[in-house]
Amino acid sequence: MPSKKSVAGRKSTKRPTIGFLGATTPEIWGEFVKAFERRLRQLGWQDGKTIAIDYRWAKGKPAAYASLAKAFVRDGVDIIVTSGTGPTQAAKKATKKIPLVFAAAGDPVGTDLVKSLKRPGQNVTGQSNGQTELAGKRLGQLRKMVPGLKRLAIVGNLSSPNVPLEIAEIKRHARQLGITTTVHDSAQIHRIEPLIKQLQGEADAVFVCTEPSKTTYQKIVHRGAMSAGMPTIHAFRDYVEW
């Protein structure tokens, strides 16, 4: 039977483990993962040598967030890293002790991830991508692209925690610009293409709200908009670079 000293010794040599909760797929987030690991190496942390990184992927399915987060807690990872409001909320619900770092979230304060951007509080920290507060500016850019814009279709997964906040901001700015809006739930990704096709003649342009399932299936969204000939605006450049 090993002595207490040898057991303690083995515990002390255990590599710190990062639980990486990927909301999309390794293919979609491939460049982000490369940048993440590159920066870790610059700081002296290398996967398989000084640390261990446990990657788990939700593949654009929000229902998977909770089970992945609970698995990290059960396995005793030292820190959880993710990106997006939904995955971070799931991880926050799963643990009050393990540090959580999110690369980006649409409205961290509005969705109760943190108390404030300056003083996050609790075990959660990260950065905002300004998704909610930039909604009005995106609408302004869309209006420049479509000068006669009068009817706007807003497409978003209404079950995603940040999307209702983004929609409220879009509608507020649209009223100021004299633009009428209609909201269309896109929770069922296979309905995206027929939905956008249906909007032909009903709207002048489409505003796509951002959340992990849209990131995962961005090609479907973009293909639908192109086939329908609908001017469309997204939150990120890479949505139209494929």
Side-chain angles (χ1 to χ4, degrees):
M1 185 174 183
S3 66
K4 291 183 179 179
K5 184 176 181 180
S6 65
V7 171
R10 282 204 301 272
K11 288 184 178 180
S12 66
T13 59
K14 178 181 177 293
R15 289 193 298 265
T17 301
I18 299 172
F20 189 103
L21 201 172
T24 64
T25 68
E27 293 75 23
I28 295 292
W29 273 11
E31 292 303 313
F32 298 150
V33 168
K34 289 179 183 177
F36 174 62
E37 293 189 357
R38 181 168 59 248
R39 182 56 179 155
L40 284 175
R41 286 194 298 272
Q42 291 171 351
L43 296 171
W45 302 96
Q46 189 168 351
D47 187 21
K49 292 186 178 181
T50 56
I51 58 169
I53 306 177
D54 184 359
Y55 289 99
R56 304 190 187 190
W57 300 93
K59 301 178 181 178
K61 299 176 181 178
Y65 301 155
S67 60
L68 294 177
K70 289 177 182 177
F72 284 139
V73 175
R74 185 175 60 248
D75 293 346
V77 300
D78 297 285
I79 188 169
I80 298 175
V81 173
T82 189
S83 185
T85 303
T88 309
Q89 284 186 338
K92 182 180 178 182
K93 187 176 181 179
T95 178
K96 303 298 181 187
K97 296 181 179 180
I98 299 174
L100 312 176
V101 180
F102 56 90
D107 189 341
V109 178
T111 54
D112 199 32
L113 293 180
V114 298
K115 292 180 179 179
S116 74
L117 296 180
K118 288 185 177 180
R119 297 181 178 179
Q122 299 182 46
N123 61 322
V124 185
T125 190
Q127 64 178 10
S128 171
N129 62 21
Q131 185 176 331
T132 301
E133 53 262 45
L134 291 176
K137 290 188 176 182
R138 292 191 182 108
L139 179 57
Q141 291 298 315
L142 182 60
R143 192 170 181 236
K144 288 180 181 179
M145 187 172 70
V146 188
L149 178 59
K150 293 296 181 183
R151 303 169 300 171
L152 178 69
I154 306 172
V155 173
N157 181 354
L158 301 184
S159 64
S160 181
N162 192 69
V163 168
L165 300 178
E166 186 177 10
I167 289 175
E169 193 70 5
I170 297 166
K171 293 174 76 172
R172 185 174 72 84
H173 284 275
R175 284 193 297 270
Q176 296 173 355
L177 297 171
I179 299 171
T180 61
T181 58
T182 54
V183 176
H184 305 269
D185 190 4
S186 60
Q188 295 180 312
I189 200 68
H190 68 278
R191 287 285 303 152
I192 285 289
E193 287 190 84
L195 169 61
I196 295 177
K197 186 176 181 179
Q198 172 192 322
L199 295 175
Q200 285 179 293
E202 297 181 13
D204 303 312
V206 178
F207 194 116
V208 180
C209 298
T210 301
E211 44 86 28
S213 68
K214 296 301 175 299
T215 304
T216 305
Y217 301 103
Q218 57 190 254
K219 291 184 180 181
I220 294 176
V221 179
H222 196 52
R223 187 173 64 220
M226 288 184 68
S227 63
M230 297 287 290
T232 308
I233 192 162
H234 305 267
F236 304 112
R237 182 188 181 102
D238 55 319
Y239 272 42
V240 293
E241 290 184 338
W242 55 277

